[in-house]
Amino acid sequence: MNNLVEKLRKDMGLNQEELSKALKVSRQTISAIENGKYNPSLDLAFTISDFFGLKIEEIFFPNKGGKRNDEK
């Protein structure tokens, strides 16, 4: 699943640790979400969308062709 979490986080001037504390998850969870290696639970996706003030589908979207975010 592709997402805009890293861009949104950086736009707010937050590092991964700060975002993880705000969302009450580990920094590793944030890193894995940003890298497309972990799809958050629906609960966490709602928490993330609430934090950024956006709809879930504005942050998370399926990747075309089944590739991870970091694959070309």
Side-chain angles (χ1 to χ4, degrees), residues 7-42:
K7 179 192 179 322
L8 294 168
R9 172 182 62 77
K10 287 180 176 180
D11 287 350
M12 290 185 77
L14 299 173
N15 62 36
Q16 288 181 341
E17 185 68 29
E18 292 165 332
L19 180 58
S20 71
K21 286 181 181 180
L23 300 176
K24 298 181 177 150
V25 298
S26 70
R27 189 208 50 81
Q28 290 85 354
T29 297
I30 299 301
S31 177
I33 291 170
E34 289 182 354
N35 291 315
K37 295 179 181 178
Y38 174 72
N39 293 327
S41 67
L42 189 54

Side-chain angles (χ1 to χ4, degrees), residues 39-49 56:
N39 293 327
S41 67
L42 189 54
D43 237 12
L44 180 53
F46 271 111
T47 301
I48 292 168
S49 71
I56 289 175

